[in-house]
């Protein structure tokens, strides 16, 4: 009766399941149509709004970066005029006119000054900024005094320092505006990194400028203790700010900074600044203070040094601008993608609802086809998408796990047969059965690795001298035969130098065989150092060695090699 009751229960369960399955399918259809439709529209609108905000913020960053680069370019133009003006005003202090200064340094300073002034006068960032009105008036007066030869170096230095400081203040204001705009904006980390990098390069430019100004003051004026402290502090700030440039700068900034560091003018000028700082630290006057010509020669390198710093800031600004463009493009793409994606998903949900009616037979057919593939020994199958009712979905999931385990086992077995060192063998096999097989495969792999290492050791012992690590006699003559045969076919010179070590026996007799072994090993090292990597270097007897190989440069090169061997072995 128990068996009968059980059978009856199964039949009743089978009869009830189709009705329940249809109910479950209707529920799924409702969820597929209603939930995604309602759940997609709102997130899509939110995502579209977020993307629009990101694009707007990125565009603002792009504009601000361009404006900051324009200010730095204007600063660089002022620095160019300052350099030439400083040289000519220094000439005034020395009683030398522009022509004499040009002869002294080999530069047409008059033409350079005209070009530099023309560039400055065409920059709206300078000429149209009301905040620079007083500094521009002072610059105009300085130009007139330079033209009539009455401007001093101190006057030129003070005028341009004031103008540069005013430009820097404008840059800081614009950068602060950028910071404020970014505070509430949704921007990717790359943009924030480029902003930090840009600010770092500007701080380096400011610290470097302060360093030059203070160094000049230290040379030309009677320095006070506070001036010395400020000079040393400027050098420390410059070193601290530039230290992380290798990691923080973007692609353009890194390239500009590298070019700046590799510029010989930069290197000479940095050395000069270091010497000035060292004199200040020691409390000694700079040697340049009593040698105007040397002073001028040192600060000629200041122009390319300053240009390199300006170029680094400009490049960092360009990196920021490109990062803003990239995020703006990404945001535009995201906005378009979200809109299209939402519409596509809505259409797909409707299509999915109609296709779901056939979701019973298709999963069964896929399972059947996959089972036939497994039976035929083909385990690398695409995963079966778990469609249909819960029971079929669970079956498909279990089948995927089983097929994945079989495929991974097959891949591991093939990899183990081809290459026991293959990276794939480090990956764990999935599933409980895979974990059990992993243990066996690991043991087999370990055994194969040990066997391979033994084979390599035997091969090394068969072809190399145990004491010196050089090729042994048999291996060397085999390679020499190969070179001779090749040169016989193609033509060329083959060298073969037999090296006999004099005095080995007295070393053994006087100091023991351990010292003799050391002498042989040192001789082997000298032979390696005296020869090319392609040459044959071998120990063919007790104290006899062979150096051989193709000599593309003929007998003379062989003689040079022999002399080099004799010298290095003797040493």
């Amino acid at each position: 009766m128990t068996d009968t009751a059980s059978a009856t229960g199964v039949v009743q369960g089978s009869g009830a399941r189709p009705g329940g399955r249809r109910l479950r399918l209707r529920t799924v259809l409702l969820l597929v149509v209603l939930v995604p439709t309602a759940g997609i529209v709102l997130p899509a609108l939110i995502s579209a709004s977020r993307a629009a905000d990101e694009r707007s913020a990125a565009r603002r960053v792009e504009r601000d970066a361009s404006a900051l680069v324009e200010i730095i370019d204007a600063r660089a133009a002022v620095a160019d005029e300052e350099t030439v003006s400083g040289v000519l005003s220094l000439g005034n202090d020395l009683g030398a006119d522009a022509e004499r200064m040009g002869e002294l340094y080999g530069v047409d300073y008059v033409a350079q000054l005209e070009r530099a002034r023309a560039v400055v006068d065409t920059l709206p960032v300078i000429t149209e900024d009301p905040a620079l009105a007083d500094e521009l008036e002072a610059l105009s007066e300085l130009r007139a005094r330079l033209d009539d030869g009455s401007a001093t170096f101190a006057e030129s230095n003070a005028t341009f320092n004031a103008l540069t400081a005013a430009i820097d203040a404008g840059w800081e204001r614009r950068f602060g505006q950028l910071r404020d705009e970014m505070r509430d904006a949704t921007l990717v980390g790359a943009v924030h990194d480029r902003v930090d990098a840009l600010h770092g390069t500007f701080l380096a430019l400011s610290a470097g400028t302060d360093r030059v100004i203070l160094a000049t003051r230290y040379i030309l004026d009677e320095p006070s203790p506070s001036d010395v402290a400020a000079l040393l502090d400027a050098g420390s700030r410059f070193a601290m700010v530039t230290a992380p440039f290798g990691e923080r700068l973007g692609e353009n900034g890194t390239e500009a900074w590298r070019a700046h560091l590799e510029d010989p003018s930069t290197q000479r000028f940095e050395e000069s600044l270091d010497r000035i700082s060292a004199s200040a630290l020691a409390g000694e006057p700079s040697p340049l203070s009593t040698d105007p010509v040397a002073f001028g020669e040192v600060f000629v390198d200041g122009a390319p040094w300053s240009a390199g710093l300006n170029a680094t800031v400009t490049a960092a600004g360009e990196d920021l601008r490109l990062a803003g463009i990239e995020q703006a493009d990404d945001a535009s793409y995201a906005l378009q993608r979200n809109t299209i994606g939402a519409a596509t998903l809505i259409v797909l949900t409707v299509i999915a609802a109609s296709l779901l009616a056939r979701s019973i037979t298709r999963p069964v057919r896929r399972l059947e086809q996959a089972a036939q593939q497994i039976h035929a020994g083909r385990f690398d199958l695409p995963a079966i998408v778990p469609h249909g009712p819960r029971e079929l979905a669970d079956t498909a999931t279990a089948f995927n796990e089983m097929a994945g385990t079989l495929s991974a086992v097959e891949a591991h077995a093939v990899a183990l047969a081809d290459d026991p060192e293959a990276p794939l063998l480090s990956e764990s096999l999935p599933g409980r059965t895979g974990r059990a097989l992993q243990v066996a495969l690991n043991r087999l792999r370990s055994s194969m690795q040990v066997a391979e290492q033994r084979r390599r050791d035997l091969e090394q012992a068969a072809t190399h001298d145990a004491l010196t690590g050089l090729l042994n006699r048999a291996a060397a003559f085999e390679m020499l035969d190969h070179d001779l045969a090749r040169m016989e076919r193609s033509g060329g010179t083959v060298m073969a130098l037999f090296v006999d070590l004099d005095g080995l026996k007295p070393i053994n007799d006087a100091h023991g065989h351990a010292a003799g072994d050391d002498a042989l090993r040192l001789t082997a090292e000298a032979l390696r150092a005296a020869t090319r990597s392609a040459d044959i270097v071998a120990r063919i007897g007790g104290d006899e060695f062979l150096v051989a190989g193709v000599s593309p440069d003929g007998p003379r090169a062989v003689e040079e090699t022999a002399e080099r061997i004799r010298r290095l072995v003797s040493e």
Side-chain angles (χ1 to χ4, degrees):
M1 293 181 63
T2 302
D3 293 341
T4 304
S6 299
T8 304
V10 171
V11 172
Q12 290 174 349
S14 301
R17 191 170 299 168
R21 185 174 299 170
R22 287 194 297 271
L23 180 61
R24 194 178 303 129
L25 182 58
R26 285 197 299 269
T27 302
V28 171
L29 284 171
L30 288 174
L31 291 174
V32 167
V33 174
L34 297 178
V35 174
T37 302
I40 289 173
V41 173
L42 183 58
L45 292 176
I46 295 175
S47 298
S49 176
R50 185 183 299 114
D53 292 340
E54 290 180 4
R55 181 173 62 179
S56 177
R59 294 300 186 197
R60 288 195 299 271
V61 168
E62 177 190 351
R63 289 193 298 269
D64 289 339
S66 298
L68 290 170
V69 168
E70 289 179 0
I71 295 175
I72 291 301
D73 289 341
R75 192 187 194 279
V78 171
D80 290 341
E81 182 179 349
E82 178 184 8
T83 299
V84 185
S85 299
V87 173
L88 295 180
S89 61
L90 180 62
N92 293 339
D93 292 343
L94 298 175
D97 58 15
E99 182 178 355
R100 175 60 182 147
M101 294 299 288
E103 293 175 355
L104 184 61
Y105 297 113
V107 178
D108 186 353
Y109 287 112
V110 174
Q112 280 197 0
L113 185 61
E114 291 178 355
R115 288 194 297 269
R117 288 176 176 178
V119 173
V120 171
D121 293 341
T122 58
L123 294 175
V125 174
I126 295 177
T127 58
E128 298 179 6
D129 187 353
L132 302 179
D134 294 339
E135 287 75 14
L136 291 177
E137 182 178 354
L139 176 62
S140 178
E141 295 174 359
L142 174 67
R143 287 177 173 179
R145 290 174 58 78
L146 279 171
D147 292 341
D148 64 22
S150 62
T152 66
F153 181 82
E155 293 171 344
S156 174
N157 200 31
T159 300
F160 280 103
N161 287 345
L163 178 57
T164 300
I167 294 174
D168 289 350
W171 193 95
E172 288 285 6
R173 286 194 299 272
R174 189 59 186 257
F175 185 81
Q177 177 182 338
L178 170 62
R179 284 287 197 192
D180 293 340
E181 292 174 350
M182 291 182 61
R183 188 173 295 114
D184 299 326
T186 304
L187 296 168
V188 295
V191 175
H192 288 276
D193 291 343
R194 298 287 78 79
V195 169
D196 292 339
L198 175 59
H199 193 238
T201 57
F202 182 78
L203 292 178
L205 178 61
S206 298
T209 302
D210 292 343
R211 189 180 177 198
V212 174
I213 294 172
L214 292 167
T216 306
R217 184 182 303 169
Y218 178 78
I219 296 171
L220 299 179
D221 301 331
E222 185 70 25
S224 65
S226 61
D227 290 336
V228 173
L231 172 61
L232 298 176
D233 177 67
S236 299
R237 284 189 291 114
F238 182 79
M240 180 179 65
V241 172
T242 58
F245 275 7
E247 300 175 356
R248 292 178 54 184
L249 295 179
E251 181 178 354
N252 293 302
T254 299
E255 179 63 24
W257 180 242
R258 182 193 61 77
H260 172 68
L261 294 180
E262 294 178 357
D263 189 338
S265 299
T266 294
Q267 297 170 3
R268 290 193 300 268
F269 194 64
E270 285 289 345
E271 291 174 358
S272 299
L273 290 177
D274 289 341
R275 288 196 298 271
I276 295 170
S277 298
S279 299
L281 186 61
E284 301 172 352
S286 172
L288 301 178
S289 61
T290 58
D291 191 347
V293 174
F295 172 81
E297 290 176 348
V298 165
F299 279 84
V300 163
D301 290 327
W305 176 86
S306 176
L309 285 179
N310 281 287
T312 302
V313 183
T314 299
E318 178 65 11
D319 285 331
L320 173 59
R321 190 182 71 84
L322 293 176
I325 292 175
E326 182 176 358
Q327 182 167 5
D329 291 342
D330 290 344
S332 298
Y333 174 73
L335 179 62
Q336 180 183 10
R337 181 188 59 202
N338 289 335
T339 303
I340 296 175
T344 302
L345 286 175
I346 292 174
V347 173
L348 290 178
T349 54
V350 175
I351 296 175
S354 62
L355 295 178
L356 204 60
R358 293 179 290 176
S359 64
I360 303 299
T361 58
R362 289 191 174 184
V364 172
R365 191 177 301 115
R366 292 192 186 99
L367 284 171
E368 179 187 8
Q369 294 171 351
Q372 292 174 352
Q373 295 287 326
I374 294 292
H375 183 264
R378 292 188 288 272
F379 305 126
D380 189 13
L381 302 176
I384 301 175
V385 180
H387 283 309
R390 184 173 58 251
E391 291 83 356
L392 285 176
D394 292 342
T395 302
T397 300
F399 189 91
N400 286 338
E401 293 177 356
M402 177 192 68
T405 299
L406 291 174
S407 177
V409 169
E410 181 186 40
H412 275 61
V414 172
L416 183 61
D418 293 339
D419 180 12
E421 302 295 336
L424 175 64
L425 296 175
S426 300
E427 301 177 5
S428 299
L429 291 171
R432 185 174 63 181
T433 302
R435 288 192 293 272
L437 289 171
Q438 186 76 52
V439 175
L441 287 174
N442 286 342
R443 291 175 180 172
L444 180 58
R445 179 189 184 192
S446 178
S447 298
M448 294 175 67
Q449 289 172 334
V450 170
E452 176 62 19
Q453 184 60 44
R454 289 176 179 171
R455 185 194 65 78
R456 287 197 293 264
D457 292 343
L458 289 173
E459 182 180 354
Q460 175 73 12
T463 58
H464 288 74
D465 175 54
L467 177 61
T468 62
L470 299 178
L471 292 172
N472 60 25
R473 182 187 186 92
F477 277 93
E478 181 180 352
M479 294 178 67
L480 181 56
D481 287 341
H482 176 74
D483 286 345
L484 285 170
R486 182 159 57 90
M487 289 299 100
E488 186 176 1
R489 292 191 303 270
S490 60
T493 301
V494 176
M495 71 171 176
L497 304 175
F498 290 88
V499 182
D500 183 83
L501 185 61
D502 293 336
L504 179 62
K505 187 176 185 303
I507 293 176
N508 286 330
D509 295 341
H511 304 287
H513 286 282
D517 290 346
D518 288 340
L520 290 171
R521 279 190 288 267
L522 288 171
T523 300
E525 292 176 5
L527 290 176
R528 289 192 188 96
T531 57
R532 303 167 302 176
S533 59
D535 289 338
I536 301 168
V537 184
R539 182 186 178 199
I540 60 175
D543 60 354
E544 296 177 346
F545 298 85
L546 171 67
V547 174
V550 176
S551 178
D553 297 329
R556 180 176 179 81
V558 176
E559 294 174 0
E560 292 174 353
T561 301
E563 174 58 25
R564 187 165 58 252
I565 290 173
R566 186 202 62 76
R567 177 172 52 80
L568 290 179
V569 171
S570 298
E571 291 175 356

